[in-house]
């Protein structure tokens, strides 16, 4: 099934939607391809996980974790659906909303939403944002009669953080608006106390479903824990498509811990540190010949345009570095690379190698 393109004039070349950064990060390489933070686990998270291992004989009870996540976002528990990672949320949406007549995915973005829709039998239309406009969201480009719209914020792989009002403008009666905020906890802005541009606490927008992940900041990709926020009746429909006991007891313990005030404070501190590390990476990349950093990156990764990037990526691998190829994202191509933000020492070592490759 080929996806249709909306308002781009681009040829429909099908990328590999099933390719993800973990395929790049083979053993022995420095991993700049996966956007999961690598750091020692804090005691307030590690201790509940260890304790949960002693309770595996009982079936998982999502109630306490659901209540904790709801309190974190100022919602009643029935407006929270816990999932086995954000990716399961996209599968539930695709399967439960089979009646959607015109699903639209705004690209470039994480490919699993479209892959899940297509696997469930949907015909998907794509709105491809313009690199020349730094991939900024124009709500007017989404067809008015689209009844299921999926958009990322901040968007993977572009690292663009769209204004909340631009994303909210996509909501309307008769439409389900799915906003992938898997990386919202990586964002920070001066003078903003919480997560800038997040819709996680908005209860006034019709059809809004916010997808969240706990795997990025807290290094829990192997545990699989995420959640959906939205209208209780809509989430009940999605829950009906979910297998019984889909979220394990340790994952539920992690969800409870990561919704605590201590976690929220730690998250904000981590996001502030990430912003400084990201600025350092952008500065180093911007000083390299032929490398264009897109817009103002806002998340745990940076998207760059570089002529011949596919070959550069291979030479980086030969030198011990893994970065994420861009050609598997609709709207990009072989001259794009996504680079994870790491500490300044790692960034300096990486950009030194990249400079040598570009000068060769």
């Amino acid at each position: 099934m080929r996806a249709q393109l909306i308002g781009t004039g681009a040829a429909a070349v099908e990328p590999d939607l099933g390719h993800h950064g973990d395929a790049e990060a083979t053993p022995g390489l420095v991993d700049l391809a996966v956007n999961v933070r690598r750091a020692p686990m804090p005691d307030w998270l590690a201790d509940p996980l260890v304790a949960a291992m002693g309770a595996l004989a009982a079936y998982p009870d999502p109630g306490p974790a659901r209540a904790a996540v709801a309190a974190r976002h100022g919602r009643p528990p029935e407006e929270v659906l816990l999932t086995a990672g954000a990716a399961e949320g996209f599968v539930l949406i695709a399967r439960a909303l089979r009646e959607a007549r015109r699903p639209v995915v705004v690209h470039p973005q994480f490919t699993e939403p479209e892959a899940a829709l297509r696997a469930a039998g949907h015909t998907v239309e794509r709105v491809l944002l313009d690199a020349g406009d730094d991939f900024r969201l124009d709500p007017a480009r989404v067809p008015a009669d689209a009844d299921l719209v999926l958009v990322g914020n901040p968007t993977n792989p572009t690292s663009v953080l769209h204004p909340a009002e631009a994303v909210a403008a996509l909501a309307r009666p008769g439409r389900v608006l799915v906003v992938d905020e898997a990386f919202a906890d990586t964002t920070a802005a001066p003078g903003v106390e919480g997560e800038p541009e997040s819709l996680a606490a908005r209860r006034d927008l019709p059809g809004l479903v916010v997808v969240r992940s706990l795997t990025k900041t807290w290094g829990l990709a192997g545990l699989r824990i995420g959640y959906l926020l939205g209208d209780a009746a809509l989430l009940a429909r999605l829950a009906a498509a979910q297998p019984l006991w889909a979220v394990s007891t340790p994952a539920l313990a992690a969800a409870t811990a990561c919704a605590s005030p201590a976690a929220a404070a730690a998250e904000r501190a981590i996001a502030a540190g990430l912003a400084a590390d990201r600025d350092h990476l952008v500065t180093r990349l911007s000083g390299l010949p032929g490398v264009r950093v897109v817009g103002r990156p806002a998340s745990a990764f940076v998207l760059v345009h570089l002529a011949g990037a596919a070959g550069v990526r291979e030479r980086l691998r030969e030198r011990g570095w893994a970065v994420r190829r861009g050609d598997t994202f609709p709207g990009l191509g072989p001259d794009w690379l996504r680079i994870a933000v790491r500490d300044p020492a790692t960034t300096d070592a990486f950009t030194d190698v990249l400079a040598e490759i570009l000068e060769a």
Side-chain angles (χ1 to χ4, degrees), residues 287-309:
L288 298 179
V291 176
R292 180 170 77 89
V293 178
V294 178
R296 296 183 59 186
S299 190
F301 44 88
V302 171
L303 182 68
V304 300
H305 184 268
L306 172 63

Side-chain angles (χ1 to χ4, degrees), residues 72-93:
R72 164 77 189 273
H73 295 290
R75 291 174 172 269
E78 57 268 24
E79 293 183 0
V80 175
L81 177 61
L82 299 164
T83 58
E88 189 198 20
F90 300 124
V91 172
L92 298 180
I93 290 163

Side-chain angles (χ1 to χ4, degrees), residues 9 22-23 35 46 51 99-100 105 109 127 141 188 203-204 209 214 219 232 238 271 298 307 317:
D22 58 332
N35 301 315
E99 77 281 4
V105 179
Q109 76 149 301
V127 169
R141 293 194 53 204
R203 303 180 64 209
D204 60 315
V209 176
L214 296 174
L238 303 183
R317 293 183 67 82

Side-chain angles (χ1 to χ4, degrees), residues 171-188:
R172 62 193 61 190
R175 169 184 289 176
V176 174
L177 171 62
V178 180
V179 183
D180 177 7
E181 291 193 359
F183 288 96
D185 60 355
T186 68
T187 62

Side-chain angles (χ1 to χ4, degrees), residues 247-275:
V247 182
S248 70
T249 296
L252 293 172
T256 302
C258 292
S260 68
E267 171 198 295
R268 293 297 83 211
I270 291 168
L274 176 67

Side-chain angles (χ1 to χ4, degrees), residues 13 69 123 134 146 167 243 291 316 322 345 357:
V13 177
V69 171
T123 297
D134 291 334
V167 181
V291 176
L316 283 168
I357 291 173

Side-chain angles (χ1 to χ4, degrees), residues 79-150:
E79 293 183 0
V80 175
L81 177 61
L82 299 164
T83 58
E88 189 198 20
F90 300 124
V91 172
L92 298 180
I93 290 163
R95 291 178 177 175
L97 304 181
R98 293 183 187 273
E99 77 281 4
R101 295 172 292 99
R102 193 175 187 185
V104 171
V105 179
V106 179
H107 283 291
Q109 76 149 301
F110 184 47
T111 55
E112 280 305 299
E114 179 174 325
L117 287 168
R118 294 171 69 170
H122 295 274
T123 297
V124 180
E125 295 182 63
R126 296 173 182 160
V127 169
L128 302 184
L129 302 183
D130 184 5
D133 194 33
D134 291 334
F135 298 111
R136 286 182 288 190
L137 175 65
D138 178 2
R141 293 194 53 204
V142 176
D145 63 343
D147 54 354
L148 175 58
V149 176
L150 297 96

